[in-house]
Amino acid sequence: MNSFSAVPLEDHMRKEARKAPPLHILSYAEMEAMPEPEWLVEGLIQKRSTALMFGKSNSFKSFLAIDIGCSVSTGQPWHGGRTAQGKVLFVATEGSVGVGRLRIPTWFDYHSMSIEERENVHLFPREIRLDVVDDVSALISSMASIGTFALVVVDIFGGSMAGSEIEDKTARAWVHGIQRILRETGAAILTVAHTGWQDDTRARMHTHFWGSFDSRMRVEGDKEALTSTLTIERHKDADSTGQWGFRMTTTGGSLVPVLDDAVKPSKTSKLSVKQRTALDALDDALVFKGVTRQGTEWPPCKVVLVEHWRSRCYTHGIADKDTPEARKKAFQRIRNALQDKGIVRIYDEHVWRCF
């Protein structure tokens, strides 16, 4: 008797029944007919996408996030940009009492919204673990019991996971959780995060988090002047431009952003366009080729061979002329500049981001 005939028929049938249904792979015609991305907030956040808003403490990120979320909930244009109205869930991982009792109501009062116009806003008032499957399931189920949501605002990023924000395992589980929420609820997700300790050009998080967002926007604020700017750093599927200046109006014991074209970033960017392109290339290289090294001389994050970074930079385009010599000189110039600024570090032919 061979090994196959030794398996009971009932067991074989049960195994067949447990097989997953076949995946639907798109044909060329179906691929070409895929719908174009639609804006939830024109120029800012697309429907069914993930967005990151990052900046230093006291740059008024949370007030801008409330401004965006409440605009979506009412369908009111966001400072001239159209919005697609829908339910909005604020996940306040810290300061939830102030958010729920003061900041959100103050925004509605300032804009003279009726009680009926406030019904699309909902609040989850504590930390949540989006890297834990059961917690993600509970959130999706709770949202479904209320209705269809257009936007989920997670503020602040550090309070939305069980693990560490610099661990690869946590990053992958968190991104899977976010993608599942997006897929099963249809809501866009806006995450608010702090910048790195030594690098204010990106959020304080593992590279896998950083590279996963469809849109990234940087916030700079002046606490004393009560001003803030929001700049689009990247849209994966749209033109990556857009910058807004705001003056924070004090009202009702809180702050509300008011558009002010006179407000400009204190520094348009500490990095040139080519330097930012090189950092995007480094992020890609870290995701696909990054490794962890042991020893006191190595950082607690992933590193990647300089050669892999250089190759990605050439693919992204960092030189004005597409010649080997121009690319080589451009990479060397950008590499040196980023090292001098303390944004990257190189050791033993490996490079990494400094946080």
Side-chain angles (χ1 to χ4, degrees):
M1 179 180 294
N2 62 41
S3 59
F4 291 102
S5 60
V7 179
L9 179 59
E10 293 81 4
D11 288 348
H12 179 72
M13 292 177 64
R14 279 195 292 268
K15 288 180 181 178
E16 288 293 317
R18 286 197 298 267
K19 284 185 178 179
L23 301 176
H24 178 64
I25 298 175
L26 300 181
S27 66
Y28 177 80
E30 291 172 315
M31 177 179 67
E32 193 180 33
M34 292 174 70
E36 292 186 9
E38 299 178 72
W39 291 109
L40 179 66
V41 181
E42 187 177 11
L44 195 71
I45 302 172
Q46 293 175 341
K47 292 182 179 180
R48 296 174 291 279
S49 72
T50 59
L52 172 68
M53 177 190 291
F54 66 96
K56 292 182 178 180
S57 296
N58 299 315
S59 59
F60 308 109
K61 300 185 298 296
S62 294
F63 294 98
L64 290 175
I66 288 171
D67 188 45
I68 294 167
C70 289
S71 295
V72 170
S73 76
T74 60
Q76 174 173 297
W78 185 77
H79 305 288
R82 291 173 296 177
T83 62
Q85 185 176 10
K87 295 183 185 299
V88 176
L89 172 62
F90 288 94
V91 179
T93 68
E94 58 183 43
S96 59
V97 174
V99 172
R101 289 179 57 89
L102 182 61
R103 292 183 180 184
I104 292 176
T106 296
W107 188 94
F108 284 118
D109 290 343
Y110 180 83
H111 290 282
S112 302
M113 296 291 174
S114 66
I115 295 299
E116 292 75 17
E117 291 175 303
R118 308 180 188 206
E119 293 180 350
N120 274 340
V121 165
H122 300 265
L123 177 71
F124 182 73
R126 60 177 182 270
E127 292 184 344
I128 190 167
R129 303 176 300 175
L130 298 179
D131 55 334
V132 176
V133 172
D134 288 347
D135 285 26
V136 173
S137 297
L139 179 63
I140 292 172
S141 176
S142 299
M143 291 172 63
S145 69
I146 296 171
T148 301
F149 280 81
L151 177 66
V152 177
V153 178
V154 180
D155 186 5
I156 189 97
F157 169 72
S160 67
M161 65 200 74
S164 167
E165 58 198 28
I166 63 171
E167 290 179 348
D168 182 72
K169 181 179 179 181
T170 300
R172 293 184 183 280
W174 189 91
V175 171
H176 280 304
I178 287 290
Q179 290 296 326
R180 186 180 160 207
I181 295 169
L182 183 152
R183 185 173 59 252
E184 296 186 24
T185 71
I189 302 170
L190 171 62
T191 301
V192 182
H194 295 304
T195 55
W197 294 284
Q198 297 179 2
D199 179 7
D200 63 1
T201 68
R202 58 165 288 169
R204 189 170 67 220
M205 58 178 57
H206 187 280
T207 302
H208 190 69
F209 287 116
W210 179 252
S212 71
F213 293 99
D214 297 307
S215 297
R216 297 197 298 252
M217 55 195 82
R218 176 170 51 91
V219 176
E220 293 183 55
D222 186 326
K223 183 180 178 182
E224 302 303 321
L226 290 179
T227 59
S228 185
T229 60
L230 189 154
T231 303
I232 298 298
E233 291 283 313
R234 179 197 192 195
H235 286 314
K236 284 185 178 178
D237 295 320
D239 181 27
S240 299
T241 58
Q243 186 177 94
W244 299 263
F246 302 94
R247 192 165 299 281
M248 298 293 153
T249 296
T250 303
T251 178
S254 184
L255 299 173
V256 175
V258 176
L259 191 67
D260 188 338
D261 292 336
V263 177
K264 305 294 182 182
S266 57
K267 46 191 177 184
T268 302
S269 172
K270 70 184 291 186
L271 301 177
S272 69
V273 173
K274 298 297 186 184
Q275 289 168 350
R276 288 194 175 279
T277 299
L279 284 178
D280 282 340
L282 177 56
D283 290 333
D284 287 348
L286 286 165
V287 169
F288 293 105
K289 297 287 187 177
V291 295
T292 301
R293 298 295 188 196
Q294 301 299 320
T296 56
E297 66 272 26
W298 296 102
C301 60
K302 284 190 174 183
V303 302
V304 70
L305 283 168
V306 173
E307 184 56 40
H308 290 319
W309 179 28
R310 180 187 292 109
S311 176
R312 292 275 174 174
C313 281
Y314 291 173
T315 301
H316 281 247
I318 58 167
D320 294 328
K321 295 182 179 179
D322 190 23
T323 66
E325 187 63 21
R327 291 196 299 265
K328 180 180 178 181
K329 288 182 177 180
F331 177 76
Q332 190 63 42
R333 185 169 56 251
I334 292 170
R335 164 183 162 162
N336 292 340
L338 294 176
Q339 280 185 281
D340 291 343
K341 293 174 183 290
I343 295 172
V344 303
R345 185 173 176 191
I346 296 175
Y347 173 78
D348 192 23
E349 294 303 314
H350 286 76
V351 59
W352 63 89
R353 282 265 205 169
C354 295
F355 300 104

